[in-house]
Amino acid sequence: MPRVQIPALLRELTNGQDMVVVPGETVGQVIENLDQSFPGIKGRLCYGNKLRKNLSLVIDGKLNQRGITQTVSEKSVIRFIPAISGG
Amino acid sequence: MLAFDYVKAHNVKQAVSYLSQRGESARILNGGTDLIVQLQEGSQRASLLVDIKAIPELNQLSYDPHQGLLVGAAVSCWDICQFPAIKKYYPGLLDAVSLIGGVQIQGRASLGGNLCNASPAADSIPALIIYQATCLIAGPDGSREISVEDFCIAPGQTALRLGELLVSVRLPPPKIGGTGACYLRFTPRSEMDIAVVGVGVAVVLSSDRTTFDWARIALGAVAPTPLLVPAAGEFLRGQKTSAAAIKQAAQIAKESTRPINDMRGTIAQRKHLTAILVRRALEKAIGRAQQNDKEE
Amino acid sequence: MPSKIPVNAIINNELIQFYCEPRQSLLEVLRDDLNLTGTKQGCNNGNCGACSVILDGMLVNSCLVLAVEIEGKSVTTIEGITPKEGLHILQQKFLEHNAQQCGICAPGFIMAAKALLDRNPDPTEEQVRRWLAGNLCRCTGYVKIVQAVLDAASCLRNSTQVER
Amino acid sequence: MIARAPSRKQNHKDKKFRVIGTSPIRSGDIDKVTGQAIYGIDTHLPGMLYGAVLRSPHAHARILSINCLEAEMMPGVKAVITSADFPDLTKQIISLGEEGASLQYQTDNILARDKVLYYGHAVAAVAATSLHIATEALQKINVTYEDIPPVVDIRKAMDGGAPVIHSNLRTDELGKKSNNPTNIASHVQFKSGNPEKGFSQASVVVEREFNTATVHQGYIEPQNATALFSANGQLSIWCSTQGVFSVRDQVSEILQIPVKYIRVYPLEVGGAFGGKNRVYLEPLAALLSKKSGHKPVKIVMSHNEVLTATGPTSASYIQIKMGADNKGQITAATAWLAYAAGAFPGSSVETAAACIFAPYRIDNILIDGYDVVVNRPWTASYRAPGVSNAVFACEVVIDELCERLAIDPLDFRCINGVKEGDQRTNGLRYDRIGFQETLETAKNQPHYTAPLLGPHQGRGVASGFWSNGGGRSSASASINLDGTVNLATGSVDLTGTRMSLSMQLAETLGIQADDVRTSTADTDFIGYTDGTWGSRTSFSTGWAVYEVGRQLIYALRKRAADLWQLPLKHVKFSEGIFTIGNQKFTFKELASRLCEDYPLSVNTSVSPDGVGPAFATHIVDVEVDPETGQVKILRYTAVQDVGKAIHPAYVEGQIQGAVTQGIGWALNEEYIYDEAGRMLNTSYLDYRIPTCPDVPSITPVIVEAPNPGHPYGVRGAGEMSIVPPPAAIANAIHAAVGVRMNTLPMSPARLLEAIWNKGLHSD
């Protein structure tokens, strides 16, 4: 099953765990299921049904533009990192 | 910019009458490098600008071994820097004038403008003071002459009375033999900057060049107006040109300062730099005095 | 509204009459009234040199000259040094050395460099850097500008028929 | 036809280029040296009015009333506007919920509503028949203020007792809001491993704090905008911007005008460096145009306005703690970053937090970042936003570690430097990167081993990281009958990207750079394209250009196959030559032959993954005058990995320019405020950007570790080299006179004070 790296500020919701295994075939499903086990976490990652504007999605170490619709594999590692601005 | 009228004066009399008629709200336009900026910012207002660049007396630039140097108030920094007699006899003035702005400013800014803008940090004023320069002033009640150190009375304020006009600046002839002078300033950038401290020194050394016969030290940006430090000059008279004497003179100069904290420098920094620059300027002036011997 | 004054001047070798208010700068009149927008507006207070023009042989910031002051005088702008065909050697060298990035300062630098080379055909790098102190460039770090000016100087020295 | 998703990994092994890597002259640049290039400030339309903006003389005050009557009565005045003239955004903002805040901030920054939040904050605007009349009219607008104590200092702003700038602001921690009003807008955190444990394994631990001042991009062309709001509802805008689409969308949101009615025209831009992404004047010009009876209105800021009222970059307060074992291995690092956002939230502290330790393999890390509002202009991006401050702190601490461990600073960086496969704090994994190459190259520079020639001279080094940007780009290309190609993209060209794009298309098609004519299209004529920021244009728009090139080739192959009645696979293209059966054609030959009766044009839009991060290592020699605190830069060598230099001469220029901005940041540039929160040094006389004699002839050294995420290996070149200079110079100053500077700028006054303090302590 995909694994999710929990952002440091959200580990208060996962009793300190920084990596959790969550079922799901898309990022969206993964977040839903994550919220089942750790209520409230979806509200911290998403605004409505979209990732928060100031978060970027990282899958297997690579930035991903496609947001919650992105499909993930059994071995995927999903991360949510602060978006980076440029000059 | 607020609206104003513009007139070109063709002689001193005309300029004086314009200035008298319009009073406070008339302003003299020379190079404009300060005035136009001030008018744009609104820090200065004027109903009339009197352009004095076409007045012959204000464009004089002459040197005579007996009369000394005469610089019309409208002569540009550029022309001053090109004038051979200034290079030869008034190196301290050349040091200062060549530091006023970049090339674009040099061609427009004038010695008279630098004086009349009366900035405490003006580069040319300490240099004029060390050469005992005097200001020739024309006005409704005729003309008068005052020494440069008395010309600036407060930041941005001069001794000019209503209707008066600075015509020219006169520098007495250099003392013969053993003379040297120097103006140094400190700025964070190497160009296009305003002095944090400016120091002018002039010295006359004994015939064997080992003793100060005479010295004069003036400072910029360390008081409300450019500052002559007679005590430092008097102390040096008769002293050997030793590191100790120079250090002492620098200390006297430092103690005479009344600097402020502002965006360009702190009190401590300005006092400290005064001593440093006085020392360096004296060393350079002495060097020049001895250099002149080799050339003569 | 204040009335306008007629001014007669030679601009880029042409006798021109225009009307302006005393408070209008030469820069403003060149750009807005005479459509000579090659002279760029930068800081408008004499600190950046983008508006450099040559007034009776002297390099000046046109933002610090009142248009009424040029009565009877001669002004040369970047448009005035560009030959009918080809480029001024300084313009050519700026291109070859990639001395312009955004390019807003380029006309001012070229006018300043011309004023230098007109007086000193063989400047040292230090002389070039000092002379250009009144012109700010925020893109290039000045390196390629200085190279372009030194290169143009040597070309001018080595050739007589290049336009000046 | 669908463009292949530009994400597959590129193999750059023994790639030979014909065009890429050369430095042709762009004929378009001729207009820049003759003065004929048209910038925003050169815009002139028939019947044009001139606008001017009234700005707050207070850093923090309540607006009690604004009376414009007298101004409106003035002859020549055609329109006066205040925030009351903006559409009511309440509904819009509520519907956006949390994210509505940013729209409110945007609008309030353009014209203050109930409060002014910084010295220079816009309050009203006028359009008149001349600029002078407009500025006179400003003085006839009567505003009554009620002063509120300002807070301009970041640490004071974080104190409980500080004046609160936004009563509705709460600290956001990834969606969780604090309870009480505060000036701390958000907190971001990165944590990995166990820092405490890491420090306990260190043989040397260095902990220091740093302060850096607010600095400005310092572009020469002031912000300006010209707008024509036609009677038919069409809004046309000509302005000095990094991104035409970004302007369109911001104006659309602020004025609540559908994007289809807004058209933004790109022009030459006289410098931007991150400062020309946000709109300031465009909505004002648009409203004034509408209110003045649909006349075009042009507004140009003075440089005083540019400095006081447009986004500079953040001042910051930073604490760093780093530990290393006796082999020079970093065992743990923590950073506490507080960045001043200015009047509204949104500093680049998150970017800084993500980049600060990125060059090093560190198992135990804790990074906290705080975004803090203060009564200063709203900060904007500036070349690698926020990273120079952070890297200054990190690399100075590293220099001290090296000193204590007696390890060569470049060796130390080699030991700890990241390599391909390593992972960043934020979880991104490095693909092919060039950090180690920059270190090796720096070591081998003659500069690094050259003797220093005088007293009080010192040499310093520093490295740095910049993530570079990706983002959305569109391009369209059409073939001319002579076989040349017209290329249009949505990327504003700040410093020569039209050339680097021409070259990438020419390379793809096997033609010469000057066979491609590249222009920037306005918002009606090209697909959505992000602004020219994040060093992204040669990368992302380069991708789009590569894709349209592939499409052209594919289309020509299909046409040739039809004409010659061959299966497509027998029409081949490689090395710029089409092989059709046994005949060979150049691109030009085939194009002119196949496009006469049936024109060929293609377009595409991309949003590529595979952004390649950049690294740089700089060496600098300085001479310090210990009696005045003045620092002279004697020699500077900047080694930077750009992936692939499309046009090496332009890349050199980018590096030299970035280093010079870094030198200004390091030595003299800073915003100076009085107690009332008014900025004092509001001109380029006292805001001291480096002049020509202030800098040496900077030596750029280009390292090329191709980015596998780009067909030609491009990473981006524009920003990276502004990052290391402050640290490198600080380290050189230490080598010269033995003082560790922890404040930017390291101005003569500050360095002198540091030298005095050292003197006092050393005896």
Side-chain angles (χ1 to χ4, degrees):
Chain A
M1 276 188 287
R3 287 176 301 154
V4 179
Q5 162 113 59
I6 305 298
L9 289 171
L10 301 190
R11 290 174 200 166
E12 63 189 21
L13 297 169
T14 62
N15 352 326
Q17 297 177 70
D18 63 345
M19 191 70 85
V20 294
V21 179
V22 192
E25 279 158 17
T26 66
V27 172
Q29 289 171 15
V30 168
I31 292 177
E32 288 299 339
N33 297 330
L34 193 62
D35 199 59
Q36 293 301 315
S37 4
F38 306 108
I41 201 163
K42 179 186 176 190
R44 302 281 297 273
L45 291 170
C46 301
Y47 189 69
N49 266 330
K50 285 180 30 224
L51 272 186
R52 288 188 175 277
K53 275 216 177 89
N54 56 353
L55 282 182
S56 297
L57 175 65
V58 174
I59 296 176
D60 301 327
K62 289 213 169 310
L63 270 176
N64 183 298
Q65 318 283 344
R66 294 169 201 82
I68 59 169
T69 56
Q70 173 66 46
T71 55
V72 290
S73 79
E74 285 291 292
K75 293 187 292 314
S76 295
V77 178
I78 303 165
R79 289 185 172 81
F80 307 96
I81 69 169
I84 287 178
S85 54
Chain B
M1 216 188 299
L2 295 178
F4 49 76
D5 300 326
Y6 167 90
V7 290
K8 198 175 209 170
H10 297 283
N11 56 57
V12 171
K13 197 160 161 297
Q14 211 178 32
V16 167
S17 72
Y18 283 130
L19 294 169
S20 318
Q21 286 157 24
R22 286 290 191 103
E24 293 298 333
S25 72
R27 306 271 315 181
I28 295 167
L29 174 67
N30 199 350
T33 54
D34 290 312
L35 181 64
I36 292 174
V37 175
Q38 291 158 355
L39 290 170
Q40 250 163 16
E41 291 168 347
S43 62
Q44 289 278 354
R45 298 200 168 193
S47 70
L48 174 71
L49 296 194
V50 182
D51 189 339
I52 55 167
K53 288 189 287 295
I55 302 174
E57 294 96 310
L58 274 71
N59 286 289
Q60 301 171 89
L61 181 54
S62 63
Y63 173 75
D64 172 298
H66 309 293
Q67 300 300 314
L69 180 72
L70 189 72
V71 184
V75 177
S76 75
C77 294
W78 177 268
D79 290 340
I80 290 171
C81 294
Q82 305 308 309
F83 194 58
I86 293 178
K87 281 201 179 106
K88 195 166 184 338
Y89 301 115
Y90 304 93
L93 182 61
L94 182 66
D95 292 338
V97 172
S98 63
L99 286 170
I100 298 171
V103 181
Q104 289 92 334
I105 301 298
Q106 286 270 308
R108 289 274 293 172
S110 62
L111 193 61
N114 200 236
L115 257 169
C116 293
N117 192 52
S119 160
D123 290 307
S124 71
I125 303 178
L128 289 170
I129 292 175
I130 59 169
Y131 284 113
Q132 297 169 290
T134 54
C135 302
L136 282 71
I137 298 166
D141 323 327
S143 60
R144 61 189 181 114
E145 183 163 1
I146 64 173
S147 63
V148 167
E149 55 266 41
D150 300 330
F151 186 76
C152 301
I153 58 178
Q157 286 181 44
T158 68
L160 289 176
R161 304 189 194 113
L162 186 61
E164 280 190 332
L165 167 74
L166 175 67
V167 175
S168 56
V169 178
R170 192 200 309 273
L171 283 70
K175 313 213 174 11
I176 301 310
T179 65
C182 172
Y183 174 83
L184 293 178
R185 73 174 185 185
F186 179 77
T187 56
R189 276 193 306 199
S190 56
E191 296 267 347
M192 298 299 289
D193 215 332
I194 305 291
V196 178
V197 173
V199 169
V201 307
V203 301
V204 181
L205 303 184
S206 59
S207 49
D208 63 0
R209 308 296 184 243
T210 63
T211 310
F212 293 101
D213 279 357
W214 179 89
R216 193 165 159 96
I217 296 177
L219 311 173
V222 293
T225 62
L227 191 66
L228 172 64
V229 192
E234 281 151 23
F235 163 78
L236 283 176
R237 184 165 308 162
Q239 294 280 338
K240 291 263 169 247
T241 58
S242 66
I246 290 169
K247 189 157 177 249
Q248 183 58 29
Q251 189 57 31
I252 293 168
K254 177 180 176 180
E255 281 155 13
S256 74
T257 61
R258 309 189 302 277
I260 56 168
N261 287 322
D262 66 11
M263 64 172 168
R264 292 179 182 139
T266 65
I267 291 171
Q269 177 193 19
R270 285 185 159 121
K271 283 184 163 291
H272 168 84
L273 288 175
T274 302
I276 300 296
L277 293 187
V278 167
R279 190 197 80 221
R280 291 181 179 183
L282 279 169
E283 287 163 356
K284 192 150 184 203
I286 292 165
R288 281 174 171 170
Q290 291 158 349
Q291 186 62 30
N292 292 346
D293 295 344
K294 297 198 193 73
E295 286 163 10
E296 277 150 18
Chain C
M1 226 170 301
S3 61
K4 296 196 165 191
I5 303 174
V7 175
N8 299 282
I10 294 166
I11 296 179
N12 297 332
N13 302 319
E14 245 181 275
L15 180 60
I16 291 190
Q17 182 179 59
F18 61 84
Y19 288 76
C20 70
E21 288 182 48
R23 61 179 162 179
Q24 286 185 282
S25 70
L26 174 58
L27 174 64
E28 187 183 341
V29 167
L30 286 174
R31 289 175 52 79
D32 293 356
D33 299 342
L34 304 178
N35 295 317
L36 293 168
T37 53
T39 302
K40 297 305 178 187
Q41 175 186 337
C43 68
N44 219 6
N45 55 19
N47 291 311
C48 81
C51 66
S52 298
V53 301
I54 294 177
L55 173 61
D56 280 355
M58 296 299 300
L59 186 72
V60 300
N61 291 319
S62 57
C63 69
L64 293 188
V65 176
L66 297 177
V68 288
E69 290 183 76
I70 71 163
E71 171 67 39
K73 297 186 185 297
S74 162
V75 176
T76 308
T77 69
I78 187 76
E79 290 89 349
I81 71 159
T82 310
K84 281 202 172 53
E85 289 199 354
L87 294 170
H88 186 283
I89 183 70
L90 276 160
Q91 296 170 318
Q92 188 56 43
K93 291 305 172 184
F94 265 60
L95 278 179
E96 287 172 16
H97 289 269
N98 297 285
Q100 69 293 321
Q101 283 183 32
C102 84
I104 196 80
C105 68
F109 267 98
I110 288 167
M111 294 311 289
K114 180 180 186 302
L116 169 63
L117 300 189
D118 287 349
R119 286 171 177 76
N120 178 359
D122 191 7
T124 64
E125 175 176 342
E126 213 238 329
Q127 288 170 322
V128 171
R129 285 186 174 273
R130 292 223 157 277
W131 184 275
L132 297 178
N135 294 77
L136 296 179
C137 171
R138 193 62 159 169
C139 294
T140 64
Y142 303 103
V143 182
K144 293 178 186 296
I145 292 174
V146 172
Q147 287 166 351
V149 174
L150 290 168
D151 190 358
S154 69
C155 286
L156 282 172
R157 291 198 302 277
N158 302 339
S159 89
T160 49
Q161 65 268 41
V162 189
E163 272 213 48
R164 284 185 70 166
Chain D
M1 146 178 44
I2 293 153
R4 283 164 306 168
S7 55
R8 100 205 145 284
K9 199 160 173 173
Q10 303 289 309
N11 175 12
H12 293 283
K13 291 225 162 39
D14 53 65
K15 211 167 206 172
K16 299 261 174 300
F17 296 115
R18 255 187 258 75
V19 178
I20 288 173
T22 65
S23 294
I25 290 168
R26 193 181 78 88
S27 55
D29 282 352
I30 288 174
D31 293 343
K32 290 183 176 178
V33 297
T34 60
Q36 282 172 313
I38 300 299
Y39 296 78
I41 46 164
D42 301 326
T43 310
H44 193 95
L45 299 175
M48 189 171 80
L49 302 175
Y50 296 81
V53 180
L54 180 67
R55 300 188 177 277
S56 165
H58 306 282
H60 197 190
R62 197 163 279 99
I63 299 174
L64 300 180
S65 69
I66 307 179
N67 183 340
C68 305
L69 265 165
E70 206 186 332
E72 285 163 340
M73 292 301 142
M74 266 185 68
V77 172
K78 300 298 179 187
V80 182
I81 58 169
T82 68
S83 61
D85 292 274
F86 277 124
D88 179 10
L89 293 169
T90 326
K91 264 205 219 68
Q92 186 67 15
I93 284 160
I94 290 164
S95 72
L96 284 168
E98 282 183 22
E99 290 173 355
S102 62
L103 175 54
Q104 188 68 69
Y105 297 148
Q106 271 269 356
T107 314
D108 290 355
N109 189 52
I110 285 163
L111 273 187
R113 249 178 336 136
D114 40 6
K115 271 171 75 175
V116 291
L117 300 177
Y118 55 93
Y119 174 74
H121 197 164
V123 173
V126 174
T129 50
S130 93
L131 178 60
H132 298 286
I133 294 170
T135 47
E136 274 182 67
L138 293 182
Q139 302 177 21
K140 296 193 158 60
I141 297 174
N142 204 321
V143 187
T144 49
Y145 297 96
E146 177 184 80
D147 268 315
I148 306 171
V151 54
V152 294
D153 176 78
I154 183 166
R155 292 168 75 185
K156 288 200 183 102
M158 295 177 87
D159 286 349
V164 170
I165 295 174
H166 300 280
S167 55
N168 58 348
L169 187 66
R170 302 290 183 273
T171 306
D172 178 280
E173 291 187 306
L174 257 187
K176 189 175 82 178
K177 300 279 188 182
S178 66
N179 301 322
N180 304 327
T182 171
N183 293 323
I184 303 171
S186 67
H187 170 210
V188 58
Q189 187 179 69
F190 294 108
K191 193 173 194 301
S192 61
N194 180 341
E196 298 69 20
K197 190 158 145 288
F199 286 122
S200 67
Q201 295 160 345
S203 48
V204 181
V205 174
V206 174
E207 184 167 15
R208 295 281 176 261
E209 62 176 356
F210 299 84
N211 286 283
T212 74
T214 300
V215 299
H216 195 275
Q217 299 86 0
Y219 38 80
I220 304 299
E221 183 199 17
Q223 298 270 0
N224 61 83
T226 305
L228 173 56
F229 208 138
S230 309
N232 64 14
Q234 266 293 334
L235 173 56
S236 308
I237 297 173
W238 298 260
C239 58
S240 185
T241 180
Q242 295 177 236
V244 281
F245 285 90
S246 156
V247 169
R248 184 194 67 179
D249 293 359
Q250 292 177 71
V251 171
S252 164
E253 279 207 318
I254 291 161
L255 299 184
Q256 293 295 295
I257 303 168
V259 290
K260 67 176 176 183
Y261 295 123
I262 305 174
R263 183 171 181 180
V264 182
Y265 296 85
L267 294 147
E268 300 295 341
V269 178
F273 315 108
K276 291 177 177 173
N277 289 308
R278 181 185 296 143
V279 298
Y280 296 95
L281 300 174
E282 291 81 351
L284 299 178
L287 284 181
L288 286 168
S289 174
K290 191 176 186 183
K291 206 172 180 181
S292 63
H294 311 291
K295 301 248 186 355
V297 174
K298 177 182 185 179
I299 312 178
V300 179
M301 284 191 189
S302 70
H303 268 220
N304 176 309
E305 290 175 287
V306 167
L307 286 167
T308 56
T310 72
T313 194
S314 297
S316 57
Y317 170 73
I318 301 171
Q319 294 171 349
I320 303 274
K321 184 178 179 185
M322 294 180 89
D325 62 24
N326 49 21
K327 290 185 224 57
Q329 187 77 52
I330 300 173
T331 59
T334 61
W336 193 94
L337 310 155
Y339 274 47
F344 304 98
S347 74
S348 39
V349 68
E350 291 183 343
T351 306
C355 295
I356 180 168
F357 295 134
Y360 306 109
R361 229 178 312 97
I362 309 175
D363 297 332
N364 306 302
I365 281 187
L366 176 62
I367 302 169
D368 288 287
Y370 295 87
D371 185 40
V372 184
V373 292
V374 295
N375 293 110
R376 297 186 181 214
W378 193 11
T379 57
S381 295
Y382 178 25
R383 213 167 193 160
V387 182
S388 297
N389 329 28
V391 163
F392 164 64
C394 170
E395 295 286 302
V396 166
V397 166
I398 284 179
D399 200 63
E400 194 169 346
L401 285 173
C402 297
E403 181 194 10
R404 304 264 288 276
L405 292 162
I407 298 180
D408 172 276
L410 290 183
D411 292 341
F412 182 94
R413 288 169 173 85
C414 289
I415 294 168
N416 295 283
V418 285
K419 301 187 178 73
E420 182 168 355
D422 288 337
Q423 197 168 69
R424 282 169 58 185
T425 336
N426 62 8
L428 285 166
R429 194 180 316 109
Y430 287 118
D431 213 316
R432 174 90 167 85
I433 48 171
F435 185 31
Q436 295 286 343
E437 284 96 324
T438 68
L439 292 165
E440 286 308 319
T441 309
K443 251 197 234 179
N444 299 329
Q445 289 301 304
H447 182 175
Y448 193 56
T449 45
L452 290 161
L453 301 172
H456 310 304
Q457 293 187 0
R459 176 166 301 146
V461 302
S463 294
F465 165 88
W466 172 238
S467 56
N468 286 329
R472 301 156 288 183
S473 288
S474 302
S476 77
S478 51
I479 292 180
N480 301 313
L481 284 185
D482 59 2
T484 62
V485 179
N486 291 354
L487 172 67
T489 80
S491 286
V492 170
D493 181 358
L494 300 176
T495 57
T497 49
R498 274 166 297 194
M499 177 52 105
S500 68
L501 296 172
S502 296
M503 291 171 72
Q504 291 187 64
L505 184 57
E507 187 70 49
T508 313
L509 300 178
I511 55 181
Q512 293 309 306
D514 60 359
D515 292 332
V516 180
R517 176 187 170 76
T518 302
S519 46
T520 307
D522 70 59
T523 52
D524 278 10
F525 275 83
I526 194 78
Y528 192 95
T529 302
D530 281 315
T532 298
W533 46 254
S535 306
R536 63 172 291 276
T537 301
S538 291
F539 170 76
S540 281
T541 311
W543 252 119
V545 163
Y546 172 77
E547 291 300 331
V548 290
R550 305 292 304 172
Q551 290 178 25
L552 286 175
I553 290 159
Y554 182 79
L556 286 175
R557 284 177 58 223
K558 272 187 68 187
R559 289 187 183 191
D562 294 345
L563 189 66
W564 273 272
Q565 309 262 302
L566 289 165
L568 185 59
K569 66 177 190 306
H570 291 164
V571 180
K572 296 196 172 57
F573 177 83
S574 83
E575 300 292 306
I577 299 296
F578 287 88
T579 311
I580 303 168
N582 50 16
Q583 294 172 268
K584 292 195 180 307
F585 299 86
T586 65
F587 174 87
K588 276 185 150 184
E589 287 164 352
L590 196 65
S592 47
R593 184 157 163 180
L594 297 181
C595 303
E596 180 155 15
D597 309 328
Y598 204 130
L600 177 55
S601 65
V602 298
N603 62 72
T604 193
S605 294
V606 302
S607 181
D609 303 331
V611 176
F615 295 85
T617 300
H618 291 190
I619 311 167
V620 60
D621 295 354
V622 304
E623 181 173 71
V624 177
D625 180 338
E627 289 186 326
T628 64
Q630 191 139 39
V631 174
K632 190 174 191 336
I633 310 287
L634 300 171
R635 186 174 182 182
Y636 204 110
T637 303
V639 185
Q640 178 180 333
D641 170 27
V642 302
K644 180 69 198 170
I646 301 295
H647 187 295
Y650 282 176
V651 170
E652 285 177 10
Q654 287 295 312
I655 295 174
Q656 290 163 331
V659 167
T660 303
Q661 286 185 318
I663 289 173
W665 198 335
L667 294 181
N668 279 316
E669 293 181 37
E670 68 180 310
Y671 274 37
I672 304 172
Y673 287 86
D674 66 12
E675 323 69 37
R678 288 181 299 251
M679 185 184 179
L680 296 172
N681 54 331
T682 60
S683 81
Y684 283 169
L685 178 60
D686 290 305
Y687 182 86
R688 300 185 183 89
I689 75 177
T691 68
C692 196
D694 291 324
V695 287
S697 189
I698 295 147
T699 308
V701 181
I702 297 170
V703 166
E704 292 184 322
N707 170 19
H710 185 277
Y712 297 125
V714 169
R715 295 182 186 275
E719 292 162 291
M720 177 69 253
S721 275
I722 197 177
V723 173
I729 291 167
N731 296 340
I733 288 171
H734 176 262
V737 289
V739 295
R740 289 263 173 221
M741 295 303 288
N742 64 350
T743 303
L744 295 182
M746 301 175 279
S747 57
R750 289 205 181 87
L751 180 49
L752 195 55
E753 212 178 327
I755 290 169
W756 290 342
N757 295 338
K758 177 172 169 281
L760 292 175
H761 299 160
S762 66
D763 41 58

